[in-house]
Amino acid sequence: MPFSPFPLLARRLRVAAAAVAFAAALPATPALADGAPPGCTGPASPHWINVVVENVRNDQGQIAITLYSDDSSKFLVKHGSLYVGRTKAVAGTTNTCIYLPKTGVWVLALYHDENSNQKFDLTSFKMPAEGYGFSNNPPTLLGLPTFSSVRLNVTRDGLTSHIKMKYP
């Protein structure tokens, strides 16, 4: 009797159909961002933004990236952020990314935690003692930026935000 490939093909199709049926029966879980760069910080999600931190003074400590929702009443207030992601500081330019809960409007506030104490240090005069920066690089010469100046519209994953650190 001559060899026929059809029984083998039919068997492979049945196995593939069973695998699809099994996968469909599994509970749905959110997919993680396959395209997110390694070391992306924050709670993993399918959404993320690249952050290029420029003018980093040295490679001591960490760059802390604080994510705020599009709510001016929570901007820069205690417990107002969604979370803080951290990445190793690299002198000159630190390239990193942060996961986002979804695309939309967000605010990023950064500081260079040079002593790795996980807080933004202030001088005795309540002025910044460590480098800092905000999304959209608003002027801060006269004080904190306005909320409207730091809002960042993330329309798709993988966008890049360049933030320049300012040091006291």
Side-chain angles (χ1 to χ4, degrees):
M1 182 169 229
F3 172 75
S4 172
F6 295 113
L8 183 59
L9 181 60
R11 179 171 178 250
R12 286 185 178 166
L13 288 173
R14 282 193 303 272
V15 168
V20 168
F22 175 75
L26 292 175
T29 56
L32 294 181
D34 294 336
C40 209
T41 188
S45 85
H47 308 288
W48 51 279
I49 182 172
N50 289 306
V51 181
V52 177
V53 187
E54 300 170 349
N55 300 332
V56 178
R57 173 164 54 198
N58 57 51
D59 61 0
Q60 296 174 4
Q62 303 173 328
I63 301 295
I65 306 170
T66 307
L67 180 69
Y68 292 92
S69 63
D70 190 22
D71 182 348
S72 62
S73 70
K74 294 185 177 186
F75 179 53
L76 298 178
V77 299
K78 192 169 187 151
H79 305 295
S81 70
L82 294 175
Y83 50 84
V84 179
R86 298 178 188 282
T87 192
K88 173 81 176 101
V90 176
T93 302
T94 301
N95 292 299
T96 189
C97 72
I98 187 168
Y99 288 112
L100 304 172
K102 62 182 181 177
T103 56
V105 178
W106 303 99
V107 172
L108 300 176
L110 283 63
Y111 70 94
H112 184 179
D113 187 11
E114 291 178 273
N115 59 5
S116 296
N117 65 352
Q118 298 193 356
K119 65 180 185 176
F120 183 59
D121 296 327
L122 300 173
T123 67
S124 57
F125 297 106
K126 303 294 183 202
M127 298 298 291
E130 297 180 301
Y132 60 92
F134 296 94
S135 43
N136 300 327
N137 297 302
T140 57
L141 196 57
L142 300 176
L144 293 173
T146 64
F147 182 73
S148 62
S149 71
V150 295
R151 295 175 72 236
L152 183 64
N153 189 12
V154 182
T155 57
R156 63 178 172 78
D157 302 324
L159 292 178
T160 299
S161 177
H162 291 262
I163 299 176
K164 293 181 176 136
M165 296 300 288
K166 298 176 183 179
Y167 288 87

